[in-house]
Amino acid sequence: MSYKQWNDLKSAAVIGSGVMGAAIAAHLANAGIECHLFDIVPQTLTDQERLNGGSLEHPAVRNRLSMQAIERLKKTKPSPLYMEAFAKRIHPGNLEDDLKKLEKVDWIIEAVTERLDIKQQVFARIEPFIKAGTLISSNTSGISLNAIAEGRQDMFKQSFVGIHFFNPPRYMHLVEVIPTSYAKSEAVQRAVQYCERRLGKGVVLAKDTPNFIGNRIATHGIVTVLQEMERTGLSIEEVDAVTGPAMGRPKSATFRTLDLVGLDTFSHVVNNLADHAPEEERSLFVLPAWYHSLLERGAYGEKSGQGFYKKLGKGKIAAMRTDSMNYEERASVQSPTLDAAKRAKGTKEKLKALLQGRDAYGQFAWNILKPSLLYSASQLGIIAEKIEDIDNAMKWGFNWQLGPFETWDAIGVRTSVEKMQQEGETIPSFVLQMLEAGHESFYKQEGSKRFYISNGEYRGIDSVPEHISLKQLKSEGKVIMNNAGASLIDLGDEVACLEFHSPNNAIGEDILSMIVRGAAEVENNYRGLVIANEGRHFCVGANLMLLLAEAQAEEWDEIDEIIRQFQQSMLKLKQLAKPVVAAPHQMTLGGGVEACLPADVILFSPETYFGLVETGVGLIPAGGGCKEAVLQQSQRFTHREDDLTPPMLRTFETIAMATASTSGHDTERIGYKRSQDRVLNDARRRIFEAKQQVLAMDQAGFRSRYDPLMRVAGREGRAAMSVAIHSMKEAGYISAHDALIASKLAYVLAGGDAPSGALVTEQCMLDLEREAFLSLCGEKKTQQRMEHMLRTGKPLRN
């Protein structure tokens, strides 16, 4: 049997165009894969089709379901597509006319209704059209893969695996790959590589057991919470206060998560486990009576308008009371234990603070954490072979900060086991054997190598060379220089990395200072520089709190100096005689964008939300953002006779409206992506890829393209921008203060009072930026916008 390499994947087919099937097809399209999307042939015409004189034999009717699914993808929010244009890579079809197309695809993914009989019928239908070497998979959240494969030929079975995408596929990192007892190792490995390397997913290997890894552990944990809540009488708000960030879990905690998932959907998952789990486990999967009462009332959560929570309007939210089954306005929860957990730094310390609490909340946390840890340990070898796969499934699929075994390490395995034994709990034998052998944790670190416990001894976790860890490099003493806000780290091969690590990676004096010092170090001793970090977001912008404090104190000279320092730091990156590659990820806003634009190449992660958004707080970009935007257009339209007004008008609208990209690919649509920039498939490879880019540029004999001159749209361009501002103000789309900000932005982008097509210097553009920024800082309404953003995280329109 011939198996292609992961990068040879050219085409795929998804069977089933429902919500999940269409979203999987969208993510395949995101990765540049041509995808056929199949569904059944409709048996009746719609009213509109009858009006149009349609026929059941017409291709548009026969492909209606998949065509409608593709159109829905373009309208779904948040979008399953990186760019709407990628929908062109998805080709509609049906399961009667188009099956021969399966002969030419590299990968088939079935994603029909979660019923064993229907899945078996679909595979029986398509099996004759599948060529040898095609990877075949079923996307299921809990049906047995071996049962699905029953009745199929050996060639099919040997190429068949389960692939469980977590929903929504674009945004959720986890994919569970489930080998069958028939699958060849080459097929399993190919599935892993397709998902990891081509789709950028985190893959865990699961056993073919009910609900696999993630849903098995999560469902047990949530039902435990519901049962303990019923026993203790804690309210929904109290439970969510305990089971959210205080435990290293998402802010949605337990009940907001269930509202988002759907109470009916979760009930289906629980029932599947209750029906198929071993007899001794079935009592663990029983929902309280009041949960069923909610389902009977049609309270399914977000999709029905009410579940555990209900919006009352005017920003008010009510929570359901399980005793009366009525809604009451949500109450705030205060407790010394919760306060201590909130103040603690890092998940490990938060957990310790929570479990040390002597009130009802600390006890509740222990009473739900203990069975979760014990159950996870009892499932080792049943749902997965490695504790690492169980931990990763919970981190990647449910956004836990620590997996169950990492959590156990964090609270202390030996002391917690002793407490469990005192409370009469049965401890899984492998945990006791680990402790008896003198091993105090499930994981250990030795230098750059991490180990996990397996069969009583530690086994090394295979490191992926392409996944460079700055945290690991720092632990190995690779820091060249650092301060409170940033570090310069040696990546090896004479490449350095500038890492931000201030709160929210906001740019302040520490980071600016490190940029200047780091640039000098790289200039003298390294082949090039990578700008990247491992924060939740690359950079949310400049230190707004500092700017507001200086503005309210009317320290204009201080603000002027801050902006000058910012501009000069960015110029150091721009003028560096060594290659600079930026690798942003997630939120990259305002000053974060200005730190990337001076780079010779930008490697965007797929999920990069990139934009100069300063107008949202009443300001304009002043760290070189306006200058770089003008320079980009000047470099695209190089001839003096080129009319710069239309492209500059688009740039003006993008910045004035504080537009940010919806993905790394979307940076091209809004004008930030340059010809030399590219988007990566796998965000985990961003630092490695940036390093390789630096080395390639150096090897090619890098020469800086720095040019201090640029052509501007001038007075003519400014006039066009002013017309746009006036029209929007007259139509009521923007306020008077919006118009003031936009007018100052237009003046800067046009090059001040320069004539159309004039060449201006870089310093001239920076001076214009700084002057406009300073004047806006003095505006009371701008200060109100800054204050509102800091307080609420949302823009103020005043």
Side-chain angles (χ1 to χ4, degrees), residues 507-518:
I507 297 177
E509 194 278 331
D510 286 337
I511 289 178
L512 297 177
S513 171
M514 186 54 59
I515 288 173
V516 174
R517 293 173 57 202

Side-chain angles (χ1 to χ4, degrees), residues 309-459:
Y309 291 106
K310 178 181 179 180
K311 292 181 181 178
L312 299 176
K314 296 183 179 179
K316 293 184 179 180
I317 298 175
M320 193 268 294
R321 301 292 173 234
T322 58
D323 51 356
S324 66
M325 298 303 292
N326 294 322
Y327 289 95
E328 295 180 8
E329 190 169 341
R330 184 171 58 179
S332 62
V333 181
Q334 302 295 328
S335 148
T337 295
L338 295 173
D339 288 343
K342 189 174 183 179
R343 288 193 304 270
K345 299 296 183 183
T347 302
K348 180 177 180 179
E349 295 306 316
K350 287 181 182 296
L351 275 168
K352 287 182 176 180
L354 184 64
L355 296 174
Q356 287 169 0
R358 298 184 179 277
D359 58 15
Y361 304 127
Q363 188 60 49
F364 186 88
W366 171 251
N367 288 347
I368 61 173
L369 185 61
K370 176 179 66 175
S372 180
L373 299 180
L374 290 171
Y375 185 73
S376 298
S378 73
Q379 295 303 302
L380 185 64
I382 297 174
I383 61 176
E385 286 296 336
K386 299 190 296 185
I387 63 171
E388 183 190 13
D389 281 334
I390 295 176
D391 278 348
N392 285 338
M394 304 317 297
K395 291 189 293 184
W396 294 341
F398 297 88
N399 295 316
W400 290 15
Q401 293 297 309
L402 299 173
F405 297 98
E406 292 172 327
T407 297
W408 213 335
D409 279 353
I411 66 173
V413 180
R414 187 174 295 277
T415 54
S416 59
V417 163
E418 289 172 355
K419 183 177 180 180
M420 292 173 185
Q421 289 174 319
Q422 290 169 7
E423 294 173 352
E425 302 292 349
T426 300
I427 312 299
S429 58
F430 94 91
V431 178
L432 294 175
Q433 290 167 5
M434 180 184 86
L435 293 173
E436 288 168 4
H439 303 314
E440 298 294 320
S441 62
F442 294 102
Y443 295 95
K444 72 173 183 176
Q445 190 84 32
E446 291 182 359
S448 61
K449 190 71 175 174
R450 193 171 188 230
F451 298 82
Y452 70 97
I453 201 74
S454 176
N455 295 322
E457 60 183 43
Y458 287 108
R459 298 180 184 272

